[in-house]
Amino acid sequence: MKKEILLTGDRPTGKLHIGHYIGSLKNRVKLQDQYNSFIMIADQQALTDNAKNPEKIRSNLTEVALDYLSVGIDPSKVNIFVQSQIPELNELTMHYLNIVTLSRLKRNPTVKNEIKEKNFNESLPTGFLIYPVSQAADITAFKATVVPVGEDQLPMIEQTREIVRSFNSIYKREVLFEPNVLLPEKGLGRLPGIDGKAKMSKSLGNAIYLSDSSDTIKQKVMSMYTDPNHIRVEDPGNVENNTVFTYLDAFCLDKLQLEEMREHYKNGGLGDVKVKRYLNDILQAELEPIRNKRNYYEKHMDFVYEVLKTGSINARSLAAETLSEVREAIGINFFFKLNR
Ligand code: TRP
């Protein structure tokens, strides 16, 4: 049976942290056996609000590639590629832009939020505003039907589905495929930062990175936000909005032991330091092999670049096929037959 096509990706604006690991990377490793998988490093999307910092995106591209390989994304199973190396995606974007209205784009909740967060005002780059259309190109170019992303990306997929429907109906051919979202399992959505803030991010300085040393991890765990009213060990503690317990829910496999600790903490008599040490042991055990693999690949960068290059060559030839069908459907395949 032919496997369904899965596509997902990340903008390389920083190293990946354990929030990415819990929310998506771990799942991608699981899914790589079930789907014909494509993972894109969306450097061009990252450039839409980083035109003046291409160096930042370039260096993070390598970091993200290292993160992927070190968590066990297997390049013999997954086509890992670099978005900017597939110029066909840009032409697809241009064709799609003609069937998307400006008002529809401005209503896209994900972009709308980000525009607000980033305080662009009058300096909003057009490339940033239209990135949902370029994302539709990413997805449709590979005829992906499964897109595993977080809740925040739902509007992106909805917009892609609309573009697919418009395109196929205007040009009267089933050239493009409607993708479906694959959401993270319950409880494995967004991990808060170590300060308890809803989002783990570089700018808030509250993330634990896959590349962090064991000392850094320990120090971050020991400084984690818990229940501010749990002052003495014998005090009853709150386990809701208690970051240490939230992380334990995500990482601890011994659910029985965890339930016991939760009860003990609630009733009083279990100190923060003890719980943090327990979490630290679990995190260290999970992250050490990842860090070791990362160190290995860092010393074998030729291999890493080869993976990206091969992946990009494969991805490009598939995108060219779709683009060729799109040109044919529109009726602008006059002089050149792409890839035929
Ligand atoms: N928008 C995604 C992010 O913010 C990255 C991305 C680009 C993507 N193209 C995609 C995700 C296509 C899934 C499918 O990280």
Side-chain angles (χ1 to χ4, degrees):
M1 206 180 76
K2 214 167 155 245
K3 282 186 183 173
E4 269 191 89
I5 299 172
L6 173 155
L7 181 130
T8 188
D10 300 281
R11 284 183 235 178
T13 49
K15 296 180 178 191
L16 300 182
H17 50 59
I18 62 172
H20 294 115
Y21 179 65
I22 287 297
S24 63
L25 298 173
K26 245 180 133 164
N27 199 30
R28 290 180 195 173
V29 174
K30 209 164 79 189
L31 296 171
Q32 66 189 356
D33 293 311
Q34 296 164 31
Y35 293 99
N36 182 2
S37 291
F38 291 81
I39 298 183
M40 177 179 72
I41 305 185
D43 60 335
Q44 203 175 336
Q45 188 175 106
L47 283 167
T48 60
D49 64 328
N50 281 288
K52 292 178 183 147
N53 306 305
E55 203 38 61
K56 170 179 149 191
I57 307 307
R58 255 165 74 108
S59 63
N60 282 314
L61 197 163
T62 330
E63 298 294 344
V64 170
L66 286 167
D67 288 328
Y68 285 168
L69 294 174
S70 59
V71 297
I73 291 174
D74 178 348
S76 73
K77 297 177 181 165
V78 179
N79 199 94
I80 307 174
F81 69 99
V82 181
Q83 187 187 28
S84 63
Q85 301 312 292
I86 324 293
E88 285 75 9
L89 298 176
N90 299 315
E91 187 178 333
L92 282 176
T93 305
M94 285 303 281
H95 296 311
Y96 299 165
L97 280 170
N98 296 336
I99 56 175
V100 177
T101 63
L102 181 58
S103 64
R104 173 64 180 88
L105 257 178
K106 285 183 175 163
R107 264 188 284 122
N108 181 309
T110 309
V111 177
K112 207 168 145 182
N113 264 338
E114 267 185 290
I115 290 173
K116 213 161 73 194
E117 266 172 32
K118 291 176 194 272
N119 272 318
F120 282 124
N121 299 315
E122 289 306 302
S123 61
L124 171 66
T126 10
F128 190 86
L129 177 70
I130 67 151
Y131 94 70
V133 180
S134 127
Q135 191 154 331
D138 302 337
I139 296 168
T140 54
F142 303 97
K143 299 191 158 78
T145 51
V146 178
V147 185
V149 283
E151 201 99 30
D152 64 309
Q153 294 284 307
L154 279 172
M156 295 296 171
I157 312 309
E158 194 42 49
Q159 179 129 40
T160 302
R161 292 167 63 91
E162 275 177 42
I163 290 172
V164 169
R165 288 196 292 266
S166 301
F167 188 95
N168 289 347
S169 114
I170 294 170
Y171 301 108
K172 299 189 178 56
R173 300 194 199 182
E174 298 294 306
V175 174
L176 306 177
F177 291 81
E178 276 188 59
N180 293 302
V181 180
L182 195 62
L183 286 173
E185 266 176 60
K186 262 205 160 33
L188 297 184
R190 182 170 276 172
L191 208 58
I194 55 170
D195 55 359
K197 296 234 167 70
K199 203 173 165 181
M200 201 177 267
S201 84
K202 191 166 144 197
S203 51
L204 295 172
N206 62 1
I208 296 177
Y209 293 95
L210 295 172
S211 49
D212 277 349
S213 70
S214 92
D215 285 349
T216 305
I217 295 169
K218 179 158 188 209
Q219 179 225 320
K220 286 179 178 174
V221 170
M222 296 319 277
S223 74
M224 259 172 143
Y225 177 83
T226 58
D227 171 5
N229 298 317
H230 186 237
I231 297 165
R232 286 168 309 170
V233 173
E234 57 273 25
D235 290 341
N238 190 358
V239 294
E240 308 297 326
N241 300 318
N242 184 324
T243 319
V244 181
F245 280 98
T246 310
Y247 279 37
L248 281 172
D249 277 329
F251 283 94
C252 176
L253 296 178
D254 189 346
K255 300 295 176 201
L256 226 64
Q257 164 83 355
L258 179 55
E259 273 334 294
E260 243 175 70
M261 287 180 84
R262 210 192 301 272
E263 282 311 306
H264 194 176
Y265 192 89
K266 279 204 275 197
N267 295 332
L270 180 58
D272 279 1
V273 172
K274 249 199 181 141
V275 192
K276 285 177 173 174
R277 286 218 178 104
Y278 184 64
L279 172 63
N280 180 57
D281 287 345
I282 291 173
L283 276 183
Q284 298 287 357
E286 180 119 12
L287 298 179
E288 190 191 54
I290 296 176
R291 189 171 52 246
N292 289 344
K293 265 178 116 175
R294 212 178 187 281
N295 292 339
Y296 169 84
Y297 286 118
E298 264 175 26
K299 292 194 195 85
H300 296 83
M301 284 311 291
D302 284 354
F303 172 79
V304 178
Y305 292 132
E306 199 50 44
V307 163
L308 297 179
K309 186 176 170 190
T310 311
S312 299
I313 291 171
N314 288 338
R316 190 168 181 192
S317 87
L318 289 168
E321 260 173 51
T322 304
L323 176 59
S324 167
E325 290 165 20
V326 160
R327 289 174 142 247
E328 208 174 298
I330 301 175
I332 51 167
N333 53 335
F334 304 126
F335 311 124
F336 310 107
K337 300 273 183 236
L338 294 170
N339 203 42
R340 284 277 161 99

